[in-house]
Amino acid sequence: MKKIPIFLHIPKTGGTTIRDIINRQYKNDQIFTVTTLKESEKINKSSLNSTINNYKIIQGHWKFGFHNNVNIRPAYFTILRNPVERVLSTYYYVLSNRNNPQNLSTLDKQMSIYEFIENGINPFVLNGQTQLISGITGSIDNPIIQSEELYTLAKKNIENHFLFLGITEMFDESILILKDLLGWHMPYYSFANRTKKKTNYDAINPKVISFIKEYNQLDIRLYNFAKTTLLNRMEEDNNNIRERISKFKKINKLVNPFFGYSRAIRLIRKYF
């Protein structure tokens, strides 16, 4: 049974940038991509089995368990983000798009962060990272998404089926480790799909921060676990990773505009 890396793209963690890097590492017909969670749930897996050996990597928005009923040995990897910053980024991203179905703002009143979380229109701002890694998702009123069971299952999946967990706040470090694990070449990048409105998170009302933390206790624990694991991995690394990171940052700063330009060209060719 073939072993295939699977990138589990968690929204607002830098995943679109990872996918840009992936798209430059493999030929188009070697990548199987799913763009939405709903799309992933509709995949005919028996049909996919007939072509699965053609792919070298699988990427997209889905929850853990995609590999079930597909004849592969999965090696998942993903990027986690500080849960408070991920929720705020999601909120401001939605606000920046008046036509986003999650934007409940009106001409008279802007949707507050409290309304955004409590109305349940986006259940993944409540322990969403733990939900997707555990493979169990639910609505805002489903007690499973705040349960110890969910966290335990996510940790079990990581232990048994994940090749790597990176974090957004150590993006370059995460990319270099993925480069070593997957044999990538020159994984330089420019950030994609960033929220247009730049927010000074340090200036956010502490009550808002506490509110977000209250609803994301499992994600906070999972993020702290991933960060500690990554830091320990770097401490144990014998490949001069800190020196390599410094060099990578310098080169990436120089070539960054090129990758932003090349992504724009790909989008233009795709839609026009």
Side-chain angles (χ1 to χ4, degrees), residues 87-189:
V87 171
L88 287 170
S89 179
T90 304
Y91 168 65
Y92 286 112
Y93 178 78
V94 170
L95 282 186
S96 69
N97 184 351
R98 184 178 295 275
N99 296 321
N100 191 305
Q102 296 179 25
N103 190 350
L104 304 181
S105 299
T106 65
L107 293 177
D108 300 320
K109 184 175 181 292
Q110 178 176 287
M111 174 182 64
S112 72
I113 184 71
Y114 301 101
E115 291 170 323
F116 180 56
I117 292 176
E118 290 183 327
N119 66 39
I121 195 168
N122 184 338
F124 296 112
V125 294
L126 286 81
N127 292 319
Q129 299 179 98
T130 310
Q131 286 190 62
L132 292 170
I133 291 176
S134 72
I136 297 178
T137 57
S139 62
I140 187 174
D141 56 357
N142 189 333
I144 190 68
I145 67 172
Q146 299 284 0
S147 69
E148 186 67 24
E149 176 188 352
L150 195 79
Y151 180 77
T152 300
L153 184 55
K155 287 285 295 295
K156 181 179 178 181
N157 289 341
I158 291 167
E159 179 181 344
N160 294 330
H161 298 288
F162 271 74
L163 175 71
F164 177 69
L165 276 106
I167 63 172
T168 306
E169 291 74 16
M170 296 175 66
F171 196 80
D172 289 343
E173 292 85 342
S174 300
I175 289 297
L176 279 182
I177 291 173
L178 282 169
K179 174 185 182 295
D180 292 343
L181 290 171
L182 298 174
W184 288 352
H185 302 285
M186 298 198 314
Y188 302 111
Y189 64 88

Side-chain angles (χ1 to χ4, degrees), residues 6-250:
I6 300 176
F7 174 49
L8 192 159
H9 180 177
I10 297 173
K12 305 310 293 178
T13 61
T16 302
T17 302
I18 296 281
R19 284 165 60 175
D20 269 357
I21 294 171
I22 289 172
N23 290 338
R24 288 187 279 106
Q25 303 300 318
Y26 308 88
K27 297 178 181 178
N28 289 340
D29 59 3
Q30 295 176 330
I31 308 171
F32 182 80
T33 302
V34 172
T35 56
T36 67
L37 185 60
K38 286 185 177 180
E39 181 185 339
S40 73
E41 293 170 347
K42 296 177 182 178
I43 291 173
N44 185 327
K45 293 181 180 178
S46 60
S47 175
L48 178 59
N49 272 323
S50 64
T51 58
I52 195 66
N53 287 324
N54 297 332
Y55 300 113
K56 289 190 174 181
I57 195 164
I58 297 171
Q59 63 174 357
H61 287 293
W62 39 51
K63 59 186 178 182
F64 175 86
F66 169 83
H67 65 284
N68 292 332
N69 303 316
V70 178
N71 294 326
I72 60 171
R73 289 187 296 126
Y76 283 89
F77 65 97
T78 194
I79 302 291
L80 300 182
R81 185 176 183 180
N82 178 296
V84 173
E85 293 195 0
R86 193 182 83 88
V87 171
L88 287 170
S89 179
T90 304
Y91 168 65
Y92 286 112
Y93 178 78
V94 170
L95 282 186
S96 69
N97 184 351
R98 184 178 295 275
N99 296 321
N100 191 305
Q102 296 179 25
N103 190 350
L104 304 181
S105 299
T106 65
L107 293 177
D108 300 320
K109 184 175 181 292
Q110 178 176 287
M111 174 182 64
S112 72
I113 184 71
Y114 301 101
E115 291 170 323
F116 180 56
I117 292 176
E118 290 183 327
N119 66 39
I121 195 168
N122 184 338
F124 296 112
V125 294
L126 286 81
N127 292 319
Q129 299 179 98
T130 310
Q131 286 190 62
L132 292 170
I133 291 176
S134 72
I136 297 178
T137 57
S139 62
I140 187 174
D141 56 357
N142 189 333
I144 190 68
I145 67 172
Q146 299 284 0
S147 69
E148 186 67 24
E149 176 188 352
L150 195 79
Y151 180 77
T152 300
L153 184 55
K155 287 285 295 295
K156 181 179 178 181
N157 289 341
I158 291 167
E159 179 181 344
N160 294 330
H161 298 288
F162 271 74
L163 175 71
F164 177 69
L165 276 106
I167 63 172
T168 306
E169 291 74 16
M170 296 175 66
F171 196 80
D172 289 343
E173 292 85 342
S174 300
I175 289 297
L176 279 182
I177 291 173
L178 282 169
K179 174 185 182 295
D180 292 343
L181 290 171
L182 298 174
W184 288 352
H185 302 285
M186 298 198 314
Y188 302 111
Y189 64 88
S190 67
F191 275 113
N193 200 31
R194 278 186 157 176
T195 301
K196 293 179 181 179
K197 181 178 179 179
K198 303 301 180 185
T199 305
N200 179 6
Y201 295 132
D202 292 334
I204 299 292
N205 189 320
K207 291 183 179 179
V208 171
I209 302 299
S210 296
F211 178 76
I212 295 172
K213 287 181 176 179
E214 177 187 350
Y215 280 96
N216 285 276
Q217 287 298 305
L218 303 183
D219 267 14
I220 290 170
R221 288 168 61 190
L222 198 68
Y223 171 81
N224 288 336
F225 165 77
K227 183 176 181 179
T228 299
T229 302
L230 180 55
L231 288 170
N232 289 342
R233 184 170 191 155
M234 290 179 60
E235 288 297 323
E236 297 168 359
D237 189 273
N238 295 320
N239 295 322
N240 299 317
I241 191 165
R242 294 188 185 281
E243 181 180 333
R244 292 170 60 212
I245 288 167
S246 177
K247 182 178 180 181
F248 179 85
K249 287 179 181 293
K250 291 176 182 178

